[in-house]
Amino acid sequence: MEKAFKDQTVLVTGGSRGIGAAVAERFASVGMNVVIHYRESHETANEVARRCTSAGARVMTVTADLGCREQILKMNEKLTKHGMIPDILVNNAGVSHYGMLADLSVEEWDQLMSINLRGPFLCSQIFMKAMVERKYGRIINISSIWGMAGASCEVAYSTSKGGINAFTKALAKELAPSGVTVNAVAPGPVNTEMMAGFSVEEKAALEHEIPAGRFAQPDEIASLVYYLSLPESGYITGQIISANGGWVT
Ligand code: NAP
């Protein structure tokens, strides 16, 4: 028998802050089981977990380097042991890099691709197995407006997110017969630590270019992720949906 939405489990990678934390809290607000993955931010992940628990959710925190298959397999074993096999996977963890391509080292390129592209590939491959067996699941990849439009001084980041968009479209076709949807949410700038490297002037210049005149708040992105996860969203798959204040249409 199909599980009720409220009884489902969501795994959010990079749930210790920013968009990932908002996504975890959105699911917790309806009492779902929430797994918060993080890499280093143990304390902030625990704070998010406390907020989710007080909203009535069953919560687990897990740590793993998402570039490492063995660590993700261990995370899967731990979740299975605790009855927290994900019905919904949100591939959110990601890093950015700002600078001219001419100055980017091979190591920096590989590191960014490992987190932004290899991580979602490995997590999807490992966690989709149970979804396919159950003939139900949701995979939501957090992409970026730059994966669609490209950004100067963010060539590696834009490439990784363009890759995620293609990954989303292709995997959606592969998994649609199994009842698993795969979509990407591609935000414009969002008020998180990822934007902390930008000066007040740079942020104001960006805001000036956005028709809505402001950055998104993390919970505005979380609402879209939540919507795509609903059982009634089962006919939406292979889509790149960009919440960007009207900037790129
Ligand atoms: P953030 O505040 O910097 O948070 C990033 C999260 O990713 C943290 O939870 C971090 O965990 C985790 N992470 C970083 N490196 C990791 C690694 N090697 N392995 C596993 N986890 C790792 O970022 P955000 O702004 O919320 O961004 C979340 C997603 O949205 C990213 O994919 C980003 O590209 C995308 N996005 C952001 C914006 C924006 O303007 N903020 C716009 C478009 C798209 P630890 O702290 O524990 O390492």
Side-chain angles (χ1 to χ4, degrees):
M1 203 177 70
E2 204 175 283
K3 273 195 219 168
F5 184 58
K6 196 179 163 310
D7 298 328
Q8 292 183 14
T9 298
V10 59
L11 164 59
V12 186
T13 70
S16 57
R17 60 172 191 263
I19 296 169
V23 169
E25 290 183 50
R26 180 69 186 87
F27 284 99
S29 72
V30 295
M32 283 175 73
N33 304 324
V34 179
V35 181
I36 298 164
H37 157 273
Y38 66 98
R39 172 76 196 279
E40 285 173 346
S41 307
H42 180 73
E43 205 28 63
T44 51
N46 280 343
E47 275 167 30
V48 178
R50 278 191 286 275
R51 289 201 294 274
C52 290
T53 305
S54 56
R58 185 176 166 218
V59 184
M60 257 181 90
T61 57
V62 281
T63 181
D65 174 356
L66 297 183
C68 174
R69 188 166 187 271
E70 284 63 40
Q71 291 196 24
I72 303 171
L73 284 171
K74 276 208 184 108
M75 181 161 88
N76 188 29
E77 268 173 37
K78 192 173 168 190
L79 299 190
T80 306
K81 198 170 132 202
H82 288 85
M84 297 281 263
I85 300 170
D87 304 279
I88 302 162
L89 166 66
V90 184
N91 283 313
N92 165 76
V95 288
S96 59
H97 178 93
Y98 197 80
M100 301 286 278
L101 186 71
D103 301 325
L104 190 78
S105 71
V106 173
E107 290 72 27
E108 285 170 331
W109 173 278
D110 287 347
Q111 170 71 0
L112 188 141
M113 293 302 163
S114 166
I115 300 160
N116 290 9
L117 210 43
R118 186 176 155 99
F121 149 59
L122 289 172
C123 285
S124 300
Q125 193 184 50
I126 290 166
F127 292 108
M128 73 190 197
K129 202 163 167 268
M131 297 182 196
V132 169
E133 277 165 15
R134 291 173 179 163
K135 293 254 170 222
Y136 182 89
R138 301 278 182 263
I139 298 175
I140 294 135
N141 300 314
I142 306 301
S143 180
S144 162
I145 189 176
W146 300 137
M148 302 159 74
S152 170
C153 294
E154 296 197 65
V155 174
Y157 181 75
S158 302
T159 304
S160 71
K161 296 302 187 179
I164 277 297
N165 293 350
F167 177 82
T168 300
K169 291 180 193 183
L171 187 61
K173 289 185 175 157
E174 208 164 291
L175 295 186
S178 304
V180 180
T181 66
V182 187
N183 291 290
V185 168
V190 185
N191 269 321
T192 72
E193 275 182 40
M194 192 171 267
M195 298 302 294
F198 288 80
S199 68
V200 174
E201 293 74 25
E202 285 168 332
K203 283 184 186 172
L206 276 174
E207 281 173 345
H208 186 70
E209 283 187 54
I210 301 168
R214 63 174 180 87
F215 290 1
Q217 293 302 331
D219 59 356
E220 293 178 297
I221 307 306
S223 297
L224 181 52
V225 172
Y226 179 81
Y227 179 76
L228 292 170
S229 304
L230 292 168
E232 55 262 45
S233 299
Y235 203 61
I236 307 170
T237 195
Q239 304 305 308
I240 317 301
I241 303 173
S242 188
N244 64 42
W247 200 5
V248 171
T249 53

